[in-house]
Amino acid sequence: MPEVITTCRLTRDTAGLLENIAEEVFDEEINPQWLATYLELPGHLMIIAVCGKQVIGQVAAYVHSHPDQASDVYIDNLGVAPPFQRRGVARRLVDEVFAWGKTLGCHQVWIVTDTENIAARALYEGRGAAAEPIVMFSYKL
């Protein structure tokens, strides 16, 4: 019997699903206080992919509002457990972010990845995006 993979929006009611997370879905362990803050912030979205009772993928995004143009959606994080990669899970998660952004009237979705992340680049380019050269600066606080 094939594995059934479902997706759902993470809320306070579904946060209990994060008790069983496959390896490499998130970069670090979930901090309950940070999670609660994230879920309470308006304009934030997390969709999780679940197989059985285990979270095997996630995408986190938020609305980036501007005073001089339509809002856009920034995909902040996307992760799928290695055994489930290249099976359409990431594409499904990204598609749900696109649908969410459209319902909010956003004009674009954007994401950043490392130049060496070939799988991510293939996913994004496969959805019709073209890579743009940028320079990123990061400050430690």
Side-chain angles (χ1 to χ4, degrees):
M1 181 172 182
E3 299 168 312
V4 175
I5 297 172
T6 59
T7 60
C8 71
R9 183 174 184 165
L10 195 67
T11 65
R12 283 188 299 224
D13 294 335
T14 59
L17 292 168
L18 295 178
E19 292 177 9
N20 185 7
I21 304 170
E23 289 188 33
E24 298 185 44
V25 171
F26 290 93
D27 297 328
E28 304 289 337
E29 284 191 37
I30 300 298
N31 176 302
Q33 183 177 355
W34 295 344
L35 174 63
T37 299
Y38 183 90
L39 294 175
E40 290 174 16
L41 291 171
H44 281 66
L45 172 76
M46 179 171 286
I47 303 288
I48 56 173
V50 180
C51 184
K53 294 187 182 224
Q54 185 175 49
V55 174
I56 54 95
Q58 62 81 22
V59 64
Y62 62 87
V63 175
H64 189 224
S65 298
H66 307 276
D68 62 337
Q69 58 185 314
S71 297
D72 51 29
V73 175
Y74 172 60
I75 296 178
D76 183 48
N77 200 306
L78 175 64
V80 176
F84 294 91
Q85 292 175 358
R86 300 199 188 278
R87 293 172 55 183
V89 175
R91 180 175 295 274
R92 250 172 94 181
L93 293 169
V94 169
D95 286 347
E96 292 199 34
V97 171
F98 278 46
W100 178 67
K102 284 180 184 177
T103 66
L104 298 174
C106 295
H107 73 107
Q108 73 174 354
V109 174
W110 57 286
I111 189 167
V112 176
T113 192
D114 296 320
T115 55
E116 303 84 27
N117 191 337
I118 303 304
R121 292 181 65 173
L123 170 65
Y124 308 142
E125 290 167 1
R127 295 219 16 65
E132 298 179 26
I134 65 164
V135 176
M136 184 178 125
F137 296 92
S138 178
Y139 296 94
K140 298 286 183 199
L141 299 179

